[in-house]
Amino acid sequence: MTEAALKATAFIQQQKPNFKPKLGLILGSGLGDIAKSLSDATVLPYSEIPGFTQSTVAGHNSALSLGDLHGIPTVCLQGRIHYYEGFNGDAVKTYIRTLKLLGVDILFITNAAGSLHQDNPPGSLMMITDHINFQGHNPLIGPNDTDFGPRFFGMEDAYDPELRGILESVSKDLDLHLAQGVYASVLGPMFETPAEIRAFRLLGADAVGMSTVPEVIVARHCGLRVITVSAITNLAAGMSKETLTHEGTLHHGEKIAHDMQRLIFGFIEAIR
Ligand code: HPA
C-alpha cells in the first residue's frame, strides 16, 4: 500500500513540480465545482494517476486538482469511492496517504447526508463533531503500515477541536447557520429503512451518509487534522413524504454548494 501512494505521489509531483499542498479538500456529491476556484490549477483525472481508483457514481468527477485556493496551496479530490462500489480499503488508503505524502496537513472533507432532525432541513450544513461507524468495515484491516501510523490509535479528537472552533466562528462571521452533530456512516447503496433511522437517532446520530468515515480513519492514522461538513440533502428515511433518490440528493447538493463554498473560503482566510 505504501508502494501505491508513493507511486501516485511521484507522478503528481512530476506533473506539478515544487508544489506542496497544505490543505486537502474532498468534494462530495454535487460539490465538485469548488475546485474551479483554484488558481494556476493542474487537473489530473484519476485514470492517469497510478493506483487511483475512479468513482462509478454519478456526481463524482474522479479528478484531482492542484492549485492555490485563496492563497493556500490546495489539493482537491473531486470524486471518492465507496465500499458499495465493490472496492476494498486499499483505494481509500491510496487517496489519503498520497495527500499526506504530498505535504497536506489539514483535510477538509465534505459530503452529502440525510438529516435526522426536522430542524436541520435539506439545504442546511452540519459540521461533524463525531461519528458512529455502521459500515461494518474498516480500511485499516490487514497488516499495519508503520510508515504511516501505529497499529492502535485513539479517535477521541478525530474531528479536530481547534479547527471546529475556527469553523464555528467563521460561520458566525458569515451569518451562516452551521449545525453540529454526529454522523452515522452506513454501507449503502440503498437508503435506510425508517426503523433504522429511528434506531440511529436513539443511538445518538444526527445525520447519515455512505462515505467519509473510511477517509477519516485513514487520515487520523497518518496524523492528518480533519474537519468535516455535511451538506444536508434530505430528511432521512421515514421523516418526510419524499421518496429518497440519488438524483434528489444531487439536486439539493447543488443548491447548498454556494454556502459550502463560502464556508470553505472563510475557513481558509482564517487559517492562512
Ligand atoms: N442516507 C444515506 N446517505 C445519504 C443520504 C441518506 O439519507 N442522503 C445523502 N446521502
Side-chain angles (χ1 to χ4, degrees):
M1 208 12 59
T2 315
E3 197 58 14
L6 284 170
K7 275 192 187 150
T9 305
F11 174 83
I12 294 162
Q13 285 172 338
Q14 234 171 30
Q15 309 304 308
K16 201 166 176 79
N18 305 319
F19 183 78
K20 191 166 180 240
K22 285 271 120 222
L23 177 71
L25 207 47
I26 301 183
L27 300 172
S29 295
L31 299 168
D33 276 0
I34 292 172
K36 290 189 183 147
S37 300
L38 290 172
S39 55
D40 192 22
T42 301
V43 182
L44 304 171
Y46 289 176
S47 56
E48 289 177 12
I49 306 174
F52 265 51
T53 308
Q54 286 191 72
S55 172
T56 60
V57 185
H60 285 262
N61 287 337
S62 291
L64 184 133
S65 304
L66 306 111
D68 266 32
L69 198 56
H70 291 252
I72 292 213
T74 301
V75 51
C76 292
L77 292 178
Q78 285 166 273
R80 52 156 59 100
I81 55 93
H82 311 79
Y83 282 122
Y84 64 72
E85 294 175 78
F87 305 118
N88 62 25
D90 288 352
V92 179
K93 282 193 277 197
T94 302
Y95 288 154
I96 303 293
R97 290 177 176 176
T98 299
L99 299 189
K100 173 75 181 178
L101 290 171
L102 286 170
V104 166
D105 172 36
I106 295 175
L107 180 60
F108 196 125
I109 303 179
T110 64
N111 62 35
S115 173
L116 274 64
H117 296 289
Q118 298 283 355
D119 52 4
N120 291 340
S124 60
L125 298 176
M126 188 191 95
M127 176 167 71
I128 299 182
T129 56
D130 206 343
H131 73 227
I132 307 175
N133 185 2
F134 286 120
Q135 296 207 336
H137 217 297
N138 182 328
L140 297 180
I141 291 169
N144 183 51
D145 192 334
T146 49
D147 286 347
F148 286 97
R151 172 83 287 186
F152 302 104
F153 61 102
M155 288 289 279
E156 290 90 346
D157 292 337
Y159 300 87
D160 194 279
E162 190 193 342
L163 298 181
R164 281 196 274 136
I166 293 172
L167 197 67
E168 189 178 352
S169 49
V170 165
S171 71
K172 287 192 177 129
D173 291 347
L174 293 172
D175 203 15
L176 208 159
H177 177 65
L178 182 65
Q180 301 192 19
V182 173
Y183 175 85
S185 166
V186 294
L187 195 55
M190 68 293 163
F191 294 103
E192 300 67 44
T193 65
E196 284 169 338
I197 293 301
R198 287 194 298 276
F200 294 166
R201 192 181 295 111
L202 280 178
L203 293 171
D206 301 296
V208 60
M210 303 174 196
S211 66
T212 302
V213 163
E215 297 154 0
V216 173
I217 291 171
V218 178
R220 292 305 300 144
H221 179 249
C222 67
L224 293 177
R225 298 175 72 192
V226 172
I227 178 94
T228 303
V229 178
S230 291
I232 300 298
T233 55
N234 57 281
L235 288 171
M239 292 178 62
S240 78
K241 292 205 166 67
E242 248 178 73
T243 306
L244 295 179
T245 62
H246 182 57
E247 292 67 34
T249 63
L250 285 180
H251 171 70
H252 289 295
E254 279 161 24
K255 280 210 312 208
I256 37 186
H258 178 68
D259 281 349
M260 185 72 91
Q261 183 161 318
R262 287 177 65 213
L263 198 60
I264 291 173
F265 293 170
F267 177 78
I268 290 174
E269 304 283 337
I271 60 165
R272 225 175 27 190

